[in-house]
Amino acid sequence: RKEVEQDPGPFNVPEGATVAFNCTYSNSASQSFFWYRQDCRKEPKLLMSVYSSGNEDGRFTAQLNRASQYISLLIRDSKLSDSATYLCVVNAEYGNKLVFGAGTILRVKS
Amino acid sequence: EPEVTQTPSHQVTQMGQEVILRCVPISNHLYFYWYRQILGQKVEFLVSFYNNEISEKSEIFDDQFSVERPDGSNFTLKIRSTKLEDSAMYFCASSRQTADSPLHFGNGTRLTVT
């Protein structure tokens, strides 16, 4: 099983749609979870940390399911500017570092 | 907001040459990293650095690679005898506390080996 797995997409959605991404991770002892956003040929930028109780930041909601070892990201009322690759990031099974998933591509169309 | 800065933004070099990629991490951060991303692939961990020494490195980070913090602000990645497959975006990152803290990335150096 890969350390971090994501559906690569692409997810093609109209403006205003709600879209959800899932990510599964292999390290049952992981304590740190993040969603990053990456625009084409740019650096990853932190979108939000993911907390055990779930958390929300405006149109974005992140949830953690430890029993099933997955995290999710929900985007409501999608904007054209949300088009990007969304990266799931978890601390590694071995060692003390953060590991990135391959990313899920989102395309929001007008 | 403080930023991680990287130079150069693009480096073209011939196979076999040495390159040095430079980074200035955020000033009050304690952990420094290099990641790379080959075009179309995922972001991969190379090395982490804390308290003036390597704290962890991946299997990618072999003897061809080295890191240094030559002064109080710069953090460099040296690649000796570059190969075609070293062509990638190289991202420097820093974090404030432990290695589990969120990473703040620089805008990357695109390395092209010809």
Side-chain angles (χ1 to χ4, degrees):
Chain A
R1 185 178 182 179
K2 290 182 183 176
E3 282 195 274
V4 182
E5 276 197 89
Q6 295 183 250
D7 180 343
F11 285 63
N12 295 301
V13 302
E15 272 185 292
T18 295
V19 62
F21 309 134
N22 286 334
C23 163
T24 57
Y25 60 92
S26 62
N27 180 13
S28 59
S30 288
Q31 296 294 323
S32 300
F33 309 93
F34 307 96
W35 283 103
Y36 277 72
R37 169 198 169 121
Q38 187 175 30
D39 293 290
C40 188
R41 296 183 177 234
K42 300 285 189 181
E43 76 275 20
K45 291 188 176 178
L46 178 66
L47 182 64
M48 58 198 303
S49 303
V50 186
Y51 303 119
S52 296
S53 54
N55 47 300
E56 189 174 305
D57 183 1
R59 298 182 293 109
F60 299 86
T61 301
Q63 294 204 312
L64 168 64
N65 184 320
R66 285 190 186 276
S68 300
Q69 292 179 219
Y70 79 80
I71 65 175
S72 64
L73 177 68
L74 182 78
I75 305 175
R76 288 181 297 277
D77 189 23
S78 301
K79 312 288 185 195
L80 293 175
S81 57
D82 293 334
S83 297
T85 299
Y86 289 83
L87 307 174
C88 174
V89 182
V90 179
N91 60 318
E93 188 162 2
Y94 300 105
N96 196 21
K97 60 183 181 284
L98 295 180
V99 177
F100 284 71
T104 297
I105 297 170
L106 173 65
R107 297 185 186 134
V108 182
K109 299 183 185 295
S110 58
Chain B
E1 185 177 319
E3 291 181 340
V4 176
T5 57
Q6 288 186 245
T7 54
S9 57
H10 191 190
Q11 174 86 49
V12 181
T13 190
Q14 288 189 326
M15 202 166 48
Q17 296 297 305
E18 174 182 287
V19 294
I20 297 176
L21 311 183
R22 292 182 165 80
C23 169
V24 179
I26 295 173
S27 60
N28 62 349
H29 284 190
L30 302 178
Y31 290 81
F32 314 122
Y33 309 84
W34 285 100
Y35 281 77
R36 80 170 186 190
Q37 187 174 33
I38 295 170
L39 188 63
Q41 297 186 23
K42 67 177 185 178
V43 178
E44 299 176 290
F45 170 80
L46 291 179
V47 65
S48 59
F49 194 86
Y50 171 71
N51 201 26
N52 283 320
E53 61 183 23
I54 290 174
S55 54
E56 189 164 351
K57 59 185 181 180
S58 72
E59 56 191 30
I60 301 169
F61 194 90
D62 59 20
D63 293 343
Q64 181 195 8
F65 295 88
S66 61
V67 289
E68 194 178 32
R69 189 157 163 82
D71 52 43
S73 59
N74 290 286
F75 179 51
T76 62
L77 174 69
K78 182 188 290 186
I79 310 175
R80 287 180 283 276
S81 190
T82 49
K83 299 179 280 214
L84 293 176
E85 53 265 38
D86 294 328
S87 296
M89 278 291 282
Y90 287 81
F91 293 110
C92 175
S94 66
S95 64
R96 185 178 301 174
Q97 297 172 326
T98 69
D100 289 350
S101 302
L103 301 177
H104 298 262
F105 284 88
N107 51 16
T109 294
R110 178 170 301 283
L111 177 65
T112 303
V113 182
T114 61

